[in-house]
Amino acid sequence: MAQVLEFKLPDLGEGLTEAEIVRWLVQVGDVVAVDQPVVEVETAKAMVEVPCPYGGVVTARFGEEGTELPVGAPLLTVAVGEREPEPEGSGNVLVGYGTQAPAARRRRVRATTGTVDGQGVRRAADGGGRATASGAPADGRAVRRGTARADAQAPARVAAPAVAQAHAFTADTPASPASASTTPAAPVEGPVPVISPLVRKLARDNGVDLRRLNGSGPDGLILRADVENALRAEAAPVRTAGEPAAEEPAVRAPAAPLAQGGGTRIPLKGVRGAVADKLSRSRREIPDATCWVDADATELMRARTAMNAAGGPKISLLALLARICTAGLARFPELNSFVDTEAREVVRLDQVHLGFAAQTERGLVVPVVRDAHARDAESLTAEFARLTEAARTGTLTPGELTGGTFTLNNYGVFGVDGSTPIINHPEAAMLGVGRIVPKPWVHEGELAVRQVVQLSLTFDHRVCDGGTAGGFLRFVADCVEQPAVLLRTL
């Protein structure tokens, strides 16, 4: 006998908590195989094709293209045949993280009926005997059941825990007695399910006891919105009887229209939102400082020309600068580190995973070259080319966008000489390279026209002082001016 299974948006790793549906790869009624990609989503880090761990017939899809779903929200339902009592995960790779088997098997009980766009959907009540509210409107963000496609002709039968439906009411919809309680929950024993470590840290930093929150996510999962609502509730002033209500905070009021004919509001989401969050966090947490120096890059340019004239793969200028960076970090390891704020420790790293800034149509991304310290110029050139192309096509995986230890920022491609970049949190430093242009320069005691570049180093002042930062930058400049200096460490 066929069974209808619900496939939820999986955890794509690296702290990602939501994704936007870009393109459906299957239609209702299509037959899918195990681990067949069924939907393309855009996270804050990359475009990802999500494979389904079930094989069968697609009976319903949840969410139109452009809909943003949190991790754990239903994506689609699949009618499958008989399954083994304990299904195993396929073991195939899901964007570098692998599909997984369900964490625990739920006891089947009698189902009650809810609705999705007016069609009957069976949902199981939980073991505690709580039934779901029939026909209650679901939270468009948390579950998105109200946006199930109308092309699902037959009623979909979905087995899902009632607690997911019990928490699915929006703030503007009064819940029925069977729905989740809005009063604080009693403290419980054991770990509290939280959607991501960032949400747990937000609660810890603000003194919120997660054990007293009722999670609005699936199975009572605590979302970021739950913690933020608790913080707003604590900050709200207490009024006595007869006291006039205070004005709503300005941040809650809708923004006034622009005086000069209005304007356009652009949501900070996807890559743009991730960049905004990360840069804001870097500015809040890292006491950065910047030093810079002009360098004569004429000899470096000649050395590159000679390398490329010798045959073989062409060597990029970025690869040579990366090789100089890794040599400098070997001499000044303080800059290849990060600060563990909770432990109040500086963590020095043995491997150099070099990030480089790349501007794409989707926004600024920082792909990471793994083990850059162990690569030569040819290998670095090839890896830069591969990651740059993946960035342009939007096919970088989360693993290729995270884990950097030091960043190289070649803003000279924009035709500018200098910059004071923001450090890529939680790294400790970033080397900036301006454009290389002909300028008058004193060379061997005479005025000459040389190829000059401005180099800047922005560093976390917690990991080192100016002497270390200046020493690193001076070493880089010396290698740019006299590439033969690198021969000492080759």
Side-chain angles (χ1 to χ4, degrees), residues 28-397:
V28 172
D30 287 356
V31 177
V32 297
V34 174
D35 285 328
Q36 175 181 333
V38 293
V39 64
E40 187 179 61
V41 300
E42 180 180 15
T43 70
K45 298 182 181 296
M47 300 278 282
V48 178
E49 287 188 353
V50 181
C52 179
Y54 311 128
V57 179
V58 178
T59 59
R61 304 187 312 190
F62 298 94
E64 300 291 343
E65 293 178 356
T67 301
E68 193 173 75
L69 300 177
V71 170
L75 277 176
L76 49 77
T77 54
V78 179
V80 301
E82 289 290 339
R83 292 194 305 163
E84 296 296 325
E86 285 294 336
E88 296 293 336
S90 65
N92 290 345
V93 173
L94 173 60
V95 201
Y97 298 91
T99 52
Q100 298 178 351
R105 188 181 180 189
R106 294 191 179 90
R107 184 169 58 121
R108 295 186 185 177
V109 294
R110 182 173 299 174
T112 58
T113 302
T115 61
V116 174
D117 284 352
Q119 298 191 14
V121 178
R122 296 175 62 83
R123 306 197 180 279
D126 64 8
R130 293 178 296 172
T132 60
S134 177
D139 184 341
R141 175 178 176 81
V143 184
R144 296 283 184 187
R145 292 191 173 92
T147 59
R149 292 183 59 86
D151 54 5
Q153 301 297 330
R157 298 182 179 275
V158 183
V163 66
Q165 181 77 1
H167 290 293
F169 297 100
T170 63
D172 297 329
T173 305
S176 65
S179 65
S181 172
T182 58
T183 59
V188 296
E189 298 296 332
V192 179
V194 180
I195 195 168
S196 79
L198 293 178
V199 175
R200 192 180 298 277
K201 184 176 186 301
L202 176 65
R204 181 174 62 249
D205 292 346
N206 292 276
V208 176
D209 187 356
L210 293 174
R211 300 178 188 277
R212 295 188 175 275
L213 297 184
N214 282 325
S216 59
D219 297 334
L221 187 68
I222 294 177
L223 308 179
R224 185 182 186 90
D226 300 324
V227 177
E228 291 175 343
N229 290 338
L231 292 175
R232 282 194 291 267
E234 291 179 0
V238 179
R239 290 193 294 120
T240 59
E243 181 181 349
E247 293 184 5
E248 287 291 321
V251 293
R252 288 184 149 190
L258 300 180
Q260 299 296 329
T264 302
R265 292 184 177 273
I266 302 174
L268 280 175
K269 64 178 183 178
V271 173
R272 186 73 263 163
V275 170
D277 292 342
K278 195 159 193 177
L279 296 183
S280 297
R281 183 179 183 185
S282 179
R283 275 290 188 235
R284 287 195 306 269
E285 297 185 8
I286 299 179
D288 59 354
T290 301
C291 53
W292 57 88
V293 65
D294 289 339
D296 180 2
T298 305
E299 297 303 323
L300 180 66
M301 301 299 288
R302 288 176 179 172
R304 176 173 176 258
T305 300
M307 291 178 190
N308 291 336
K314 300 296 184 182
I315 303 300
S316 70
L317 179 61
L318 189 63
L320 294 179
L321 293 171
R323 187 67 189 87
I324 293 173
C325 278
T326 57
L329 292 174
R331 288 195 171 200
F332 301 92
E334 298 93 334
L335 296 171
N336 192 52
S337 63
F338 68 92
V339 175
D340 185 339
T341 54
E342 294 187 1
R344 293 185 61 82
E345 295 175 341
V346 175
V347 182
R348 291 187 184 176
L349 303 170
D350 298 327
Q351 290 80 29
V352 178
H353 302 315
L354 187 67
F356 65 100
Q359 192 70 38
T360 70
E361 293 181 356
R362 299 174 60 240
L364 177 67
V365 294
V366 184
V368 177
V369 177
R370 302 286 169 182
D371 298 316
H373 61 288
R375 296 176 181 265
D376 58 20
E378 287 188 2
S379 175
L380 288 168
T381 297
E383 188 67 356
F384 280 134
R386 184 188 73 82
L387 292 173
T388 299
E389 180 60 25
R392 288 172 179 166
T393 58
T395 57
L396 288 169
T397 66

Side-chain angles (χ1 to χ4, degrees), residues 4 6 98 186 364 421:
V4 177
E6 185 178 69
L364 177 67

Side-chain angles (χ1 to χ4, degrees), residues 289-294 328 331-332 334-335 406 429-431 455-461 463-479:
T290 301
C291 53
W292 57 88
V293 65
D294 289 339
R331 288 195 171 200
F332 301 92
E334 298 93 334
L335 296 171
F406 185 92
M430 176 185 293
L431 178 70
L455 306 171
S456 65
L457 178 71
T458 300
F459 63 98
D460 186 341
H461 226 312
V463 305
C464 69
D465 295 323
T468 299
F472 172 85
L473 187 59
R474 187 64 257 172
F475 173 81
V476 170
D478 289 344
C479 290

Side-chain angles (χ1 to χ4, degrees), residues 404-431:
T405 63
F406 185 92
T407 296
L408 176 60
N409 188 355
N410 182 21
Y411 45 75
V413 296
F414 301 119
V416 298
D417 295 327
S419 174
T420 55
I422 300 176
I423 295 175
N424 187 24
H425 185 281
E427 297 170 13
M430 176 185 293
L431 178 70

Side-chain angles (χ1 to χ4, degrees), residues 299 441-448 450:
E299 297 303 323
W441 190 269
V442 176
H443 176 65
E444 296 181 349
E446 296 183 358
L447 188 63
R450 306 285 286 182

